[in-house]
Amino acid sequence: MDHARLIESLVRRGIIKTEKVRRAAERVKRELFVPERYKEVAYEDIPLPIGDDQTISAPHMVFIMNEVLDLEEGQLVLEVGSGSGYHAATIAEIVAPSDSQPSRWGAVITVEINPRLASLAFENLSKAGYSSRVHVVNADGSSGLPLRRKVDRIVVTAAAPQIPPPLIEMLADGGKLVIPVGSPGFWGQDLLLVEKRGNNIIKKHITEVAFVPLRGRYGWS
Ligand code: SAH
């Protein structure tokens, strides 16, 4: 499969629903984020190994999450689990599109607990042209980050035992969090959409998923 056909099939399958998610999918070359030996299969709809038992998620999972996140230009988004940096780049293309004024840009802050993968994400994002829109931090994202402002959206790309309280704390009023919650073993995980409205936290089940386990303080030990 090539890039255009992958996107066409994701649209046909009803996974890519909106123009903004589609345009971002078209602009980010997944081949720049997969290891050299997987370049040939970069546009198959499958996860691929990136070392240390971690994977770059399958394209359909990235775009299911981007649709649910309800992203807009100008937003500040936190990603927990940078991995290859690919998902962060697809979010950056919506909150800070390549063809828009940098003065209107939002930003993505992506946190990665594994130092080698944090460097990998940084290198991939730099080579692909996202270094001014995506900031990579090597830390435990389950504990949140000490930012000066609240964030509009949070996406967690590893399965958590529970919704980490520091992430709810970091969300702005009206903010949304998308997170897989469930077992660490690739089964029995639910993708949840969590909305913060004043003091209310509204949770919605989206679909069943299979993610690698979240580590760190509010992850699996
Ligand atoms: N979004 C990535 C795929 C992520 S795989 C991509 O587009 O390629 C999940 C990642 O979460 C792994 O890289 C893993 O090291 C990282 N991770 C696990 N627990 C974490 C934590 N507590 N904080 C930050 N990153 C974490």
Side-chain angles (χ1 to χ4, degrees):
M1 192 127 56
D2 64 18
H3 194 168
R5 285 181 59 196
L6 170 66
I7 290 167
E8 197 185 299
S9 93
L10 292 170
V11 170
R12 202 173 47 234
R13 286 159 62 197
I15 284 163
I16 294 179
K17 299 177 160 81
T18 59
E19 187 57 29
K20 59 190 170 187
V21 170
R22 182 199 179 118
R23 289 220 331 245
E26 284 168 352
R27 283 186 185 146
V28 185
K29 293 192 170 75
R30 192 168 183 252
E31 70 203 59
L32 299 180
F33 294 86
V34 304
E36 195 58 45
R37 65 184 178 286
Y38 297 116
K39 297 268 186 241
E40 293 286 301
V41 289
Y43 297 104
E44 299 300 323
D45 190 15
I46 50 173
L48 292 167
I50 52 174
D52 298 332
D53 294 327
Q54 305 302 312
T55 57
I56 170 172
S57 308
H60 72 268
M61 192 42 63
V62 171
F63 302 125
I64 285 173
M65 291 170 114
N66 287 0
E67 290 287 2
V68 170
L69 276 167
D70 180 26
L71 300 163
E72 298 287 350
E73 182 170 6
Q75 288 175 340
L76 178 61
V77 182
L78 175 73
E79 178 190 38
V80 176
S82 316
S84 67
Y86 173 72
H87 196 161
T90 67
I91 293 171
E93 273 297 350
I94 304 175
V95 302
S98 297
D99 61 351
S100 154
Q101 295 273 13
S103 61
R104 298 179 50 189
W105 281 359
V108 181
I109 301 170
T110 181
V111 193
E112 172 56 56
I113 200 166
N114 175 322
R116 189 190 68 81
L117 293 173
S119 305
L120 176 75
F122 177 79
E123 276 170 36
N124 288 344
L125 287 159
S126 302
K127 282 184 202 152
Y130 291 94
S131 49
S132 57
R133 290 173 272 175
V134 184
H135 310 282
V136 183
V137 180
N138 178 208
D140 168 18
S142 79
S143 315
L145 281 183
L147 301 183
R148 281 195 302 206
R149 58 157 286 192
K150 305 265 183 183
V151 301
D152 303 300
R153 300 289 185 262
I154 302 177
V155 59
V156 181
T157 65
Q162 52 168 329
I163 300 166
L167 298 184
I168 300 275
E169 190 49 45
M170 286 183 75
L171 266 188
D173 194 11
K176 297 182 182 183
L177 159 68
V178 173
I179 181 170
V181 174
S183 97
F186 293 98
W187 47 271
Q189 300 172 3
D190 294 311
L191 187 66
L192 300 183
L193 167 65
V194 181
E195 287 192 59
K196 185 170 175 176
R197 295 212 200 118
N199 291 327
N200 295 331
I201 300 298
I202 301 144
K203 291 179 209 167
K204 187 176 163 199
H205 168 91
I206 304 297
T207 183
E208 285 183 18
V209 290
F211 277 86
V212 296
L214 183 73
R215 303 294 177 195
R217 177 144 184 235
Y218 294 94
W220 304 92
S221 51

